[in-house]
């Protein structure tokens, strides 16, 4: 498609993340600034299939930079995975004269965008919004920083009660298959041990380490477990195993769950989302398509969607060493 871009569509898709509203605001306002029209698509790809759209202007996104969630609402749309669903979606693209699409979401949303682009030729650009920080081509995704702050705040509170009762707490955090949240929030909250999918610690080493801590005078402890940890047991089974082998500890489990996705975005996420939204619109106008915007060494970069989806966002192994040193 070589049409001059006059009107863009924007949607949020997949798991919501704090800062998606700030990204939407940036896309809508960058479009207004560059004299483009902007159509908001509600409920992700589902809304595109059902033609749930609204023309936006710079004022439509007033007072949302500080809001968690996404005012556009989000969905994980199964219908868009079918050729028929995508055909219906494209009919609405044509009906609304949309020349290019901005997709704010995670890797599942980008896979959909890439297939859509290859089938119908419409230029697409991705903005990475997910608390998991699991996307290749950006050192930070929108929402991750806020989620880290939410997690450490929750663990700080758990610590208060853990100390009062001399308890050992296992705290499960989100992240899907990635350990970014667990590792960074674990260090930030001073966790005794951190279990992540990228590094198989094994139950015996965990037990050894906790016994060592207990001998060194610690009467309470926090262990952070990523939901995708591959120890082979879930957080409750791990807690039971430890309790059986360390009967002097009272063990409790806390699964933080979806509260990690909510809340007002941090300043970092607001600025990141603003930069990414502006860069996405500018990149589309420069003729870019099938790419994702990202940040690397504090500079905006572009990565082909195919690479962003397939590549692995690596954890910083040095952080594991830092955590080991600090829990001496
Ligand atoms: O991708 C974001 C995320 O919150 C993951 O951390 C988690 O595994 C998943 O989404 C939960 O999905 P749902 O909201 O569909 O339960």
């Amino acid at each position: 498609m070589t049409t001059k871009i006059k009107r863009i569509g924007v949607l949020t898709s997949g798991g919501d993340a704090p800062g998606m509203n700030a990204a939407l605001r940036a896309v809508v306002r960058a479009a207004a600034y560059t004299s483009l029209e902007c159509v908001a698509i509600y409920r992700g790809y589902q809304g595109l299939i059902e033609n749930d759209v609204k023309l936006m202007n710079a004022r439509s996104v007033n007072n949302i930079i500080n809001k968690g969630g996404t005012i556009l609402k989000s969905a994980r749309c199964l219908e868009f995975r079918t050729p028929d669903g995508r055909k219906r979606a494209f009919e609405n693209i044509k009906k609304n004269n949309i020349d290019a699409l901005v997709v704010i979401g995670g890797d599942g949303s980008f896979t959909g965008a890439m297939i859509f682009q290859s089938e119908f030729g419409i230029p697409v650009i991705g903005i990475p919004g997910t608390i998991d920080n699991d996307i290749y081509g950006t050192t930070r995704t929108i929402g991750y920083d806020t989620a880290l702050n939410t997690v450490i705040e929750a663990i700080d509170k758990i610590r208060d009660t853990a100390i009062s009762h001399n308890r050992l707490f296992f705290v499960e955090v989100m992240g899907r298959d990635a350990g970014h949240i667990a590792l960074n929030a674990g260090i930030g909250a001073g966790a005794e041990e951190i279990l992540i999918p990228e590094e198989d610690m094994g139950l015996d080493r965990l037990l050894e380490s906790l016994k060592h801590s207990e001998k060194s005078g610690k009467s309470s402890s926090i262990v952070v477990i990523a939901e995708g940890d591959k120890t082979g047991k879930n957080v409750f089974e791990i807690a039971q195993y430890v309790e059986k082998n360390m009967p002097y500890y009272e063990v409790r489990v806390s699964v933080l769950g979806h509260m990690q996705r909510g809340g007002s975005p941090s300043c970092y996420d607001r600025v990141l989302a603003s930069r990414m939204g502006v860069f996405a619109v500018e990149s589309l106008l420069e003729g870019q398509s099938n790419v994702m915007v990202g940040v690397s060494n504090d500079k905006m970069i572009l990565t082909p969607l195919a690479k962003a989806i397939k590549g692995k966002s690596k954890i910083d192994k040095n952080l594991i060493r830092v955590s080991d040193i600090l829990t001496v």
Side-chain angles (χ1 to χ4, degrees):
M1 214 189 218
T2 47
T3 341
K4 185 171 173 319
I5 297 173
K6 294 197 203 86
R7 180 182 271 200
I8 59 171
V10 57
L11 57 83
T12 51
S13 165
D16 64 335
M20 278 185 164
N21 283 326
L24 168 70
R25 172 180 177 269
V27 169
V28 172
R29 294 220 170 140
Y33 186 81
T34 50
S35 304
L36 290 178
E37 286 183 327
C38 185
V39 171
I41 299 153
Y42 288 83
R43 293 178 293 123
Y45 294 120
Q46 195 63 46
L48 190 55
I49 292 171
E50 293 169 18
N51 202 27
D52 191 0
V53 302
K54 186 179 152 199
L55 194 60
M56 306 291 266
N57 61 43
R59 297 285 73 77
S60 319
V61 287
N62 283 354
N63 305 318
I64 64 167
I65 192 165
N66 55 329
K67 298 256 184 309
T70 158
I71 62 158
L72 294 187
K73 300 190 182 288
S74 193
R76 302 190 200 276
C77 176
L78 292 180
E79 212 178 337
F80 196 70
R81 295 191 190 169
T82 67
D84 192 49
R86 291 191 295 275
K87 193 166 151 276
R88 283 180 55 203
F90 189 64
E91 277 158 16
N92 289 325
I93 289 275
K94 281 192 296 184
K95 195 187 280 175
N96 292 291
N97 298 316
I98 296 171
D99 303 314
L101 191 62
V102 180
V103 174
I104 306 169
D107 52 0
S109 312
F110 296 160
T111 305
M114 211 174 67
I115 298 172
F116 198 51
Q117 194 282 329
S118 73
E119 286 175 345
F120 301 103
I122 177 157
V124 295
I125 194 155
I127 298 181
T130 165
I131 62 164
D132 300 337
N133 203 42
D134 59 347
I135 298 180
Y136 179 84
T138 188
T139 46
R140 288 283 181 279
T141 56
I142 296 168
Y144 172 60
D145 182 67
T146 307
L148 289 181
N149 289 317
T150 302
V151 171
I152 62 165
E153 206 185 314
I155 298 180
D156 287 351
K157 289 177 178 159
I158 290 172
R159 181 182 290 282
D160 290 344
T161 174
I163 296 169
S164 306
H165 287 267
N166 286 346
R167 279 176 174 164
L168 171 60
F169 262 88
F170 286 83
V171 182
E172 186 192 273
V173 299
M174 278 188 168
R176 205 177 285 278
D177 301 320
H180 295 285
I181 296 180
L183 185 54
N184 284 271
I187 291 177
E192 193 55 39
E193 282 300 341
I194 303 169
L195 305 187
I196 53 172
E198 293 85 350
E199 189 86 358
D200 185 9
M201 184 184 201
L203 283 180
D204 292 338
R205 253 183 63 207
L206 171 67
L207 212 55
E208 217 175 278
S209 156
L210 291 173
K211 282 183 177 160
H212 171 80
S213 310
E214 197 266 334
K215 274 202 198 98
S216 77
K218 295 187 184 175
S219 56
S220 67
S221 284
I222 309 274
V223 176
V224 172
I225 306 189
E227 65 173 333
D229 173 57
K230 304 220 165 52
T231 313
K233 295 186 185 298
N234 68 36
V235 64
F236 294 98
E237 290 168 335
I238 295 176
Q240 253 173 26
Y241 176 83
V242 170
E243 195 164 35
K244 213 171 103 199
N245 287 279
M246 300 179 79
Y248 37 89
Y249 261 138
E250 245 192 312
V251 178
R252 290 291 185 271
V253 173
S254 184
V255 177
L256 297 188
H258 286 78
M259 57 95 77
Q260 295 164 89
R261 287 229 299 255
S264 177
S266 65
C267 183
Y268 182 90
D269 275 333
R270 296 181 198 193
V271 175
L272 180 67
S274 301
R275 292 176 74 191
M276 285 181 167
V278 169
F279 189 54
V281 173
E282 287 174 345
S283 301
L284 273 178
L285 285 173
E286 278 166 16
Q288 293 286 347
S289 171
N290 233 349
V291 289
M292 179 195 83
V293 301
V295 65
S296 173
N297 296 322
D298 208 31
K299 296 266 175 313
M300 286 291 117
I301 57 163
L302 293 173
T303 302
L305 283 180
K307 245 180 143 178
I309 293 157
K310 290 221 182 75
K312 271 247 157 246
S313 73
K314 293 205 177 74
I315 56 146
D316 180 356
K317 294 248 168 167
N318 193 42
L319 290 180
I320 299 174
R321 204 175 68 84
V322 168
S323 169
D324 286 347
I325 291 171
L326 297 182
T327 51
V328 62

